[in-house]
Amino acid sequence: MLEERVVISKKEHNQVWVRALPAASCSNCQQKSACSTPLIEKFLRKREILVETDLVLESGDQVIIAINEDAFLKGSVVLYVVPIVALLIGAGLGEVAAPYFLGLSLDVLICISGAVSFFLSLFLIHLGLQSFFYKSFPKPVVLRKVN
């Protein structure tokens, strides 16, 4: 299980909305100006996740949440490998279709078809995450309250 310390932003029945805590080590780091972690953290800090729990918790409590590593790896494959494979397939289809498009150069057609298939795969992943994948991937769980 991958674990992360988070803070509860609001509570609704047996569910809580959590957001990540700022990284404590960043304030003491010597490479702060050359590091992208604070920038990414600033961008994602407002992102909240809904987690179900049976624990008695209040807004502002710090908890440890966990998610199964298999779910994390499946999500990584979907988000990284699928678009790259789609790009390569699209480029290959562009090369096959090139003789039928006499007005375009081979390189331009390959670039266009690869880019279209890449962005189409990202759009389909986005739609899938909102419906099918959201229900099939394991959800994070609250392990314990941090004192």
Side-chain angles (χ1 to χ4, degrees):
M1 298 284 274
L2 298 173
E3 298 181 4
E4 181 69 26
R5 188 177 188 165
V6 296
V7 65
I8 297 174
S9 56
K10 59 185 166 182
K11 180 175 171 52
E12 299 173 352
H13 306 292
N14 65 338
Q15 299 174 327
V16 291
W17 287 92
V18 298
R19 60 181 160 74
L21 291 170
S25 61
C26 287
S27 60
N28 300 329
C29 182
Q30 300 294 329
Q31 300 296 322
K32 197 181 336 184
S33 62
C35 181
S36 64
T37 301
L39 178 65
I40 294 169
E41 183 179 287
K42 189 184 299 184
F43 177 70
L44 294 177
R45 185 179 303 159
K46 296 177 182 165
R47 182 135 183 138
E48 295 182 345
I49 301 170
L50 183 64
V51 182
E52 293 190 19
T53 182
D54 292 331
L55 299 175
V56 178
L57 302 168
E58 296 299 323
S59 181
D61 288 346
Q62 292 185 11
V63 294
I64 303 292
I65 63 168
I67 189 166
N68 191 336
E69 289 128 347
D70 292 340
F72 186 76
L73 290 174
K74 286 179 190 177
S76 297
V77 167
V78 168
L79 291 174
Y80 291 105
V81 175
V82 170
I84 291 172
V85 169
L87 174 99
L88 295 173
I89 290 172
L93 290 174
E95 187 173 6
V96 170
Y100 302 106
F101 295 93
L102 300 175
L104 292 174
S105 81
L106 178 64
D107 294 338
V108 171
L109 189 60
I110 289 173
C111 288
I112 290 172
S113 64
V116 166
S117 64
F118 176 78
F119 288 113
L120 180 64
S121 72
L122 291 178
F123 177 70
L124 292 175
I125 289 170
H126 175 72
L127 290 179
L129 286 175
Q130 290 181 340
S131 58
F132 172 73
F133 290 125
Y134 183 76
K135 295 173 185 138
S136 66
F137 281 143
K139 310 290 183 283
V141 294
V142 176
L143 294 181
R144 64 188 175 275
K145 182 178 176 180
V146 178
N147 296 329

